Amino acid sequence: QVQLVESGGGSVQAGGSLRLSCAASRSRYTASFYCMGWFRQAPGKEREGVVVIGGGSTYYADSVKGRFTISQDNAKNTLYLQMNSLKPEDTAMYYCAAGPRCSGTSMSAPYWGRGTQVTVSS
């Protein structure tokens, strides 16, 4: 069974930064999951892809390009999302995901974490 546990969310003012972490319980997770990434869901909106890594490529949503950076530490089985220059419209629940197939910022049949809340005030 795979478990993904997010942390690092919080409340910040616009222009601030946060770093989210996603700890995976499955060892060698980067070899096990072809795709990994971060998604978010704001109240009243559908879940959207923020950034996905798959097949050696990384895809960012246009809304976060230049501000967010994904990275991973294979030794710690952890995926990170560095978020800089945060805006109020970045406010959402952020979810870590891992799965076998992806295209751009979309992912098929992913495992999901429970999410971590990010709130950006103006």
Side-chain angles (χ1 to χ4, degrees), residues 52-97:
V52 172
I53 295 178
S57 298
T58 303
Y59 298 92
Y60 289 90
D62 289 342
S63 59
V64 306
K65 282 180 181 177
R67 300 188 298 122
F68 290 12
T69 304
I70 192 171
S71 62
Q72 51 193 19
D73 185 332
N74 294 344
K76 296 182 178 180
N77 296 337
T78 303
L79 188 72
Y80 300 100
L81 181 65
Q82 179 66 44
M83 305 186 295
N84 298 328
S85 302
L86 283 161
K87 304 176 181 180
E89 50 263 44
D90 294 318
T91 294
M93 185 71 79
Y94 283 71
Y95 298 91
C96 177

